[in-house]
Amino acid sequence: MANELIFAALADPTRRRVFEQLAARPSSVTALARTLPVSRPAVSQHLKVLSDAGLVTVRAEGTRRIYRAAPDQLADLRDWLDRMWSNALNAFAEAAEKERQK
Amino acid sequence: MANELIFAALADPTRRRVFEQLAARPSSVTALARTLPVSRPAVSQHLKVLSDAGLVTVRAEGTRRIYRAAPDQLADLRDWLDRMWSNALNAFAEAAEKERQK
DNA sequence: GCTTACGGTAAGTCATGGCTAACGAATTGA
DNA sequence: TCAATTCGTTAGCCATGACTTACCGTAAGC
Protein backbone atom coordinates (compact mmCIF):
# COMPACT_ATOMS: atom_id res chain seq x y z
CA MET A 1 0.00 0.00 0.00
CA ALA A 2 1.27 3.47 -0.85
CA ASN A 3 0.01 4.72 2.50
CA GLU A 4 3.01 3.25 4.28
CA LEU A 5 5.20 6.30 3.73
CA ILE A 6 2.43 8.61 4.92
CA PHE A 7 1.78 6.67 8.10
CA ALA A 8 5.48 6.42 8.84
CA ALA A 9 5.95 10.13 8.20
CA LEU A 10 3.15 11.18 10.52
CA ALA A 11 4.06 8.67 13.22
CA ASP A 12 6.73 10.86 14.80
CA PRO A 13 5.45 13.66 17.09
CA THR A 14 8.17 16.12 16.11
CA ARG A 15 7.48 15.45 12.44
CA ARG A 16 3.77 16.07 13.00
CA ARG A 17 4.58 19.40 14.63
CA VAL A 18 6.67 20.32 11.61
CA PHE A 19 3.83 19.40 9.30
CA GLU A 20 1.27 21.28 11.41
CA GLN A 21 3.37 24.42 11.31
CA LEU A 22 3.74 24.14 7.57
CA ALA A 23 0.00 23.65 7.21
CA ALA A 24 -0.49 26.92 9.05
CA ARG A 25 2.08 28.82 6.99
CA PRO A 26 5.00 28.07 4.66
CA SER A 27 8.36 28.43 6.31
CA SER A 28 12.11 28.03 5.93
CA VAL A 29 14.15 25.34 7.67
CA THR A 30 15.82 27.68 10.14
CA ALA A 31 12.54 29.37 11.01
CA LEU A 32 11.01 25.98 11.78
CA ALA A 33 13.98 24.95 13.90
CA ARG A 34 13.65 28.12 15.98
CA THR A 35 10.19 27.10 17.16
CA LEU A 36 11.08 23.48 17.87
CA PRO A 37 13.17 21.87 20.61
CA VAL A 38 15.48 20.15 18.11
CA SER A 39 18.42 21.24 16.02
CA ARG A 40 18.22 22.44 12.44
CA PRO A 41 19.67 19.23 10.93
CA ALA A 42 16.98 17.28 12.74
CA VAL A 43 14.31 19.45 11.12
CA SER A 44 16.01 19.00 7.78
CA GLN A 45 15.89 15.23 8.14
CA HIS A 46 12.24 15.32 9.12
CA LEU A 47 11.50 17.45 6.07
CA LYS A 48 13.16 14.86 3.87
CA VAL A 49 10.89 12.16 5.26
CA LEU A 50 7.81 14.36 4.80
CA SER A 51 8.97 15.20 1.29
CA ASP A 52 9.50 11.55 0.35
CA ALA A 53 5.95 10.89 1.52
CA GLY A 54 4.70 13.71 -0.69
CA LEU A 55 3.35 15.65 2.27
CA VAL A 56 5.42 18.78 1.66
CA THR A 57 6.90 20.61 -1.32
CA VAL A 58 9.96 22.85 -1.55
CA ARG A 59 10.69 26.06 -3.39
CA ALA A 60 14.17 27.57 -3.48
CA GLU A 61 14.22 31.28 -2.67
CA GLY A 62 17.76 32.57 -2.75
CA THR A 63 19.76 30.61 -0.22
CA ARG A 64 16.61 29.69 1.66
CA ARG A 65 14.26 26.83 0.93
CA ILE A 66 10.59 27.48 1.62
CA TYR A 67 8.63 24.37 2.55
CA ARG A 68 4.85 24.09 2.17
CA ALA A 69 2.28 21.50 3.19
CA ALA A 70 0.83 19.55 0.26
CA PRO A 71 -2.63 18.46 1.44
CA ASP A 72 -3.33 16.21 -1.55
CA GLN A 73 -1.58 13.20 -0.06
CA LEU A 74 -3.79 13.38 3.00
CA ALA A 75 -6.58 12.09 0.77
CA ASP A 76 -5.06 8.60 0.92
CA LEU A 77 -5.17 8.76 4.68
CA ARG A 78 -8.78 9.86 4.59
CA ASP A 79 -9.68 7.00 2.25
CA TRP A 80 -8.12 4.46 4.58
CA LEU A 81 -9.92 6.04 7.50
CA ASP A 82 -13.31 5.95 5.79
CA ARG A 83 -12.81 2.33 4.75
CA MET A 84 -11.93 1.26 8.29
CA TRP A 85 -14.86 3.19 9.64
CA SER A 86 -17.49 1.63 7.39
CA ASN A 87 -15.97 -1.82 7.79
CA ALA A 88 -16.15 -1.56 11.54
CA LEU A 89 -19.71 -0.30 11.41
CA ASN A 90 -20.72 -3.15 9.10
CA ALA A 91 -19.12 -5.70 11.38
CA PHE A 92 -20.94 -4.20 14.30
CA ALA A 93 -24.26 -4.28 12.43
CA GLU A 94 -23.73 -7.93 11.51
CA ALA A 95 -22.98 -8.82 15.10
CA ALA A 96 -26.14 -7.01 16.22
CA GLU A 97 -28.14 -8.89 13.60
CA LYS A 98 -26.84 -12.25 14.76
CA GLU A 99 -27.63 -11.26 18.29
CA ARG A 100 -31.18 -10.33 17.32
CA GLN A 101 -31.80 -13.65 15.58
CA LYS A 102 -31.25 -15.63 18.73
CA MET B 1 -2.85 15.90 22.43
CA ALA B 2 -4.78 12.73 23.02
CA ASN B 3 -4.15 11.69 19.44
CA GLU B 4 -0.64 10.60 20.30
CA LEU B 5 -1.65 7.09 21.33
CA ILE B 6 -3.73 6.68 18.19
CA PHE B 7 -0.95 7.78 15.86
CA ALA B 8 1.56 5.60 17.65
CA ALA B 9 -0.80 2.63 17.52
CA LEU B 10 -1.46 2.94 13.80
CA ALA B 11 2.17 3.65 12.94
CA ASP B 12 3.21 0.01 12.87
CA PRO B 13 2.28 -1.95 9.70
CA THR B 14 1.62 -5.20 11.53
CA ARG B 15 -0.58 -3.39 14.00
CA ARG B 16 -2.53 -1.79 11.17
CA ARG B 17 -3.10 -5.23 9.66
CA VAL B 18 -4.42 -6.43 12.99
CA PHE B 19 -6.76 -3.48 13.18
CA GLU B 20 -7.89 -3.91 9.57
CA GLN B 21 -8.73 -7.54 10.18
CA LEU B 22 -10.68 -6.64 13.28
CA ALA B 23 -12.54 -3.95 11.35
CA ALA B 24 -13.60 -6.63 8.88
CA ARG B 25 -14.65 -9.13 11.53
CA PRO B 26 -14.14 -9.73 15.25
CA SER B 27 -11.59 -12.39 16.02
CA SER B 28 -9.66 -14.19 18.72
CA VAL B 29 -5.94 -13.74 19.32
CA THR B 30 -4.92 -17.11 17.93
CA ALA B 31 -7.11 -16.68 14.86
CA LEU B 32 -5.40 -13.37 14.17
CA ALA B 33 -1.95 -14.86 14.66
CA ARG B 34 -2.70 -17.59 12.14
CA THR B 35 -3.19 -15.06 9.35
CA LEU B 36 -0.13 -12.98 10.26
CA PRO B 37 3.60 -13.66 9.90
CA VAL B 38 4.25 -13.11 13.60
CA SER B 39 3.85 -15.20 16.73
CA ARG B 40 0.82 -15.16 19.00
CA PRO B 41 2.52 -13.20 21.82
CA ALA B 42 3.43 -10.52 19.27
CA VAL B 43 -0.24 -10.20 18.31
CA SER B 44 -1.15 -10.06 21.97
CA GLN B 45 1.26 -7.19 22.54
CA HIS B 46 -0.09 -5.33 19.52
CA LEU B 47 -3.61 -5.76 20.83
CA LYS B 48 -2.56 -4.21 24.12
CA VAL B 49 -1.29 -1.12 22.30
CA LEU B 50 -4.46 -0.89 20.22
CA SER B 51 -6.53 -1.38 23.34
CA ASP B 52 -4.66 1.35 25.26
CA ALA B 53 -5.38 3.68 22.34
CA GLY B 54 -9.08 2.79 22.57
CA LEU B 55 -9.09 1.38 19.04
CA VAL B 56 -10.27 -2.11 20.02
CA THR B 57 -12.44 -3.68 22.71
CA VAL B 58 -12.37 -7.15 24.23
CA ARG B 59 -15.05 -9.59 25.25
CA ALA B 60 -14.29 -12.81 27.07
CA GLU B 61 -15.95 -15.85 25.51
CA GLY B 62 -15.05 -18.96 27.44
CA THR B 63 -11.27 -19.28 27.36
CA ARG B 64 -11.05 -17.11 24.29
CA ARG B 65 -11.02 -13.34 24.10
CA ILE B 66 -12.82 -11.83 21.13
CA TYR B 67 -11.39 -8.50 19.97
CA ARG B 68 -13.42 -5.96 17.98
CA ALA B 69 -12.54 -2.69 16.28
CA ALA B 70 -13.94 0.38 18.05
CA PRO B 71 -14.33 2.98 15.29
CA ASP B 72 -15.20 5.85 17.64
CA GLN B 73 -11.61 6.76 18.34
CA LEU B 74 -10.96 7.21 14.65
CA ALA B 75 -12.98 10.41 14.90
CA ASP B 76 -10.03 12.12 16.57
CA LEU B 77 -7.86 11.16 13.65
CA ARG B 78 -10.43 12.48 11.22
CA ASP B 79 -10.64 15.78 13.10
CA TRP B 80 -6.89 16.23 12.93
CA LEU B 81 -6.97 15.38 9.24
CA ASP B 82 -9.71 17.88 8.47
CA ARG B 83 -7.93 20.61 10.43
CA MET B 84 -4.67 20.06 8.57
CA TRP B 85 -6.51 20.01 5.29
CA SER B 86 -8.31 23.32 5.75
CA ASN B 87 -5.23 24.96 7.22
CA ALA B 88 -3.16 23.96 4.23
CA LEU B 89 -5.83 25.17 1.83
CA ASN B 90 -6.08 28.52 3.65
CA ALA B 91 -2.32 28.96 3.55
CA PHE B 92 -2.38 28.20 -0.13
CA ALA B 93 -5.16 30.72 -0.73
CA GLU B 94 -3.28 33.41 1.18
CA ALA B 95 -0.16 32.78 -0.84
CA ALA B 96 -2.17 33.03 -4.06
CA GLU B 97 -3.70 36.31 -2.84
CA LYS B 98 -0.29 37.81 -2.10
CA GLU B 99 0.85 36.68 -5.50
CA ARG B 100 -2.12 38.36 -7.17
CA GLN B 101 -1.52 41.67 -5.40
CA LYS B 102 1.86 42.12 -6.96
C1' DG C 1 -8.43 -34.44 38.88
C1' DC C 2 -5.76 -34.16 34.45
C1' DT C 3 -5.12 -32.61 30.19
C1' DT C 4 -5.56 -29.35 26.51
C1' DA C 5 -6.44 -24.90 24.28
C1' DC C 6 -6.17 -19.90 24.92
C1' DG C 7 -3.90 -15.84 26.17
C1' DG C 8 -1.24 -12.42 28.98
C1' DT C 9 3.47 -11.38 30.81
C1' DA C 10 8.69 -11.42 31.48
C1' DA C 11 13.21 -11.56 29.77
C1' DG C 12 16.32 -10.89 26.30
C1' DT C 13 17.86 -9.90 21.43
C1' DC C 14 18.21 -7.03 17.55
C1' DA C 15 16.97 -3.61 14.10
C1' DT C 16 15.11 0.92 13.45
C1' DG C 17 15.34 5.69 13.66
C1' DG C 18 15.73 10.24 15.93
C1' DC C 19 19.23 13.18 17.53
C1' DT C 20 23.70 16.02 17.72
C1' DA C 21 28.19 17.44 16.09
C1' DA C 22 30.98 18.28 12.21
C1' DC C 23 31.71 19.15 7.46
C1' DG C 24 30.82 20.81 2.72
C1' DA C 25 28.11 23.25 -1.02
C1' DA C 26 25.69 27.34 -2.66
C1' DT C 27 23.98 32.02 -2.57
C1' DT C 28 24.19 36.92 -0.99
C1' DG C 29 26.33 41.21 0.13
C1' DA C 30 30.36 44.06 1.13
C1' DT D 1 37.30 37.94 -3.43
C1' DC D 2 35.95 37.14 1.24
C1' DA D 3 32.86 36.63 4.96
C1' DA D 4 28.36 35.32 6.51
C1' DT D 5 24.06 32.87 6.15
C1' DT D 6 21.27 28.97 4.85
C1' DC D 7 20.88 23.95 4.14
C1' DG D 8 21.88 19.20 3.08
C1' DT D 9 24.58 15.19 4.43
C1' DT D 10 27.37 12.09 7.06
C1' DA D 11 28.97 9.55 11.16
C1' DG D 12 28.08 7.96 15.38
C1' DC D 13 25.39 7.50 19.74
C1' DC D 14 21.54 5.96 22.12
C1' DA D 15 16.65 5.08 23.24
C1' DT D 16 12.63 2.88 21.56
C1' DG D 17 10.06 -0.92 20.27
C1' DA D 18 8.98 -5.21 17.61
C1' DC D 19 9.84 -9.89 18.02
C1' DT D 20 10.64 -14.77 19.97
C1' DT D 21 11.11 -18.11 23.63
C1' DA D 22 9.67 -19.56 27.94
C1' DC D 23 6.56 -19.50 31.67
C1' DC D 24 2.21 -19.11 34.36
C1' DG D 25 -2.81 -18.59 35.10
C1' DT D 26 -7.47 -19.92 33.60
C1' DA D 27 -11.45 -22.03 31.49
C1' DA D 28 -13.42 -26.15 29.08
C1' DG D 29 -13.61 -31.29 28.06
C1' DC D 30 -12.36 -36.09 28.94
Side-chain angles (χ1 to χ4, degrees):
Chain A
M1 144 172 44
N3 288 7
E4 186 52 37
L5 287 178
I6 300 182
F7 272 108
L10 296 178
D12 184 69
T14 303
R15 208 147 48 216
R16 271 202 309 281
R17 290 184 59 182
V18 170
F19 181 72
E20 287 168 1
Q21 299 225 10
L22 290 181
R25 113 185 48 87
S27 172
S28 72
V29 181
T30 324
L32 280 172
R34 263 196 295 270
T35 72
L36 294 170
V38 296
S39 70
R40 183 195 53 77
V43 174
S44 192
Q45 290 165 353
H46 284 312
L47 286 169
K48 172 161 177 44
V49 176
L50 289 170
S51 178
D52 288 347
L55 288 170
V56 300
T57 60
V58 209
R59 184 170 57 92
E61 193 166 288
T63 123
R64 294 189 302 184
R65 300 169 67 85
I66 307 298
Y67 281 84
R68 301 170 182 278
D72 290 5
Q73 295 302 318
L74 290 183
D76 286 359
L77 200 55
R78 177 193 284 268
D79 290 346
W80 182 86
L81 215 64
D82 290 347
R83 205 174 334 130
M84 286 310 109
W85 196 307
S86 64
N87 280 2
L89 290 186
N90 281 346
F92 184 79
E94 284 184 22
E97 179 66 15
K98 272 188 185 170
E99 192 64 21
R100 203 179 55 81
Q101 286 182 348
K102 286 197 322 185
Chain B
M1 137 177 46
N3 288 6
E4 184 54 37
L5 287 178
I6 300 181
F7 272 107
L10 295 177
D12 183 70
T14 303
R15 209 147 46 214
R16 272 203 308 282
R17 290 183 60 182
V18 169
F19 181 72
E20 288 167 2
Q21 299 224 10
L22 290 182
R25 115 185 46 86
S27 173
S28 71
V29 180
T30 333
L32 281 172
R34 262 196 296 269
T35 71
L36 294 170
V38 295
S39 70
R40 182 194 54 77
V43 174
S44 192
Q45 291 165 355
H46 284 311
L47 286 170
K48 171 160 178 45
V49 176
L50 289 170
S51 179
D52 287 347
L55 289 170
V56 299
T57 59
V58 211
R59 184 169 57 92
E61 193 164 287
T63 127
R64 294 190 298 185
R65 301 169 67 85
I66 307 299
Y67 281 85
R68 301 169 181 278
D72 291 3
Q73 296 301 319
L74 290 183
D76 287 359
L77 199 56
R78 176 194 285 266
D79 290 346
W80 182 87
L81 214 65
D82 290 347
R83 205 175 334 132
M84 288 308 109
W85 195 307
S86 63
N87 280 1
L89 290 187
N90 281 347
F92 185 80
E94 283 183 22
E97 178 65 14
K98 272 188 184 168
E99 190 65 21
R100 202 179 56 82
Q101 286 181 348
K102 287 195 324 186

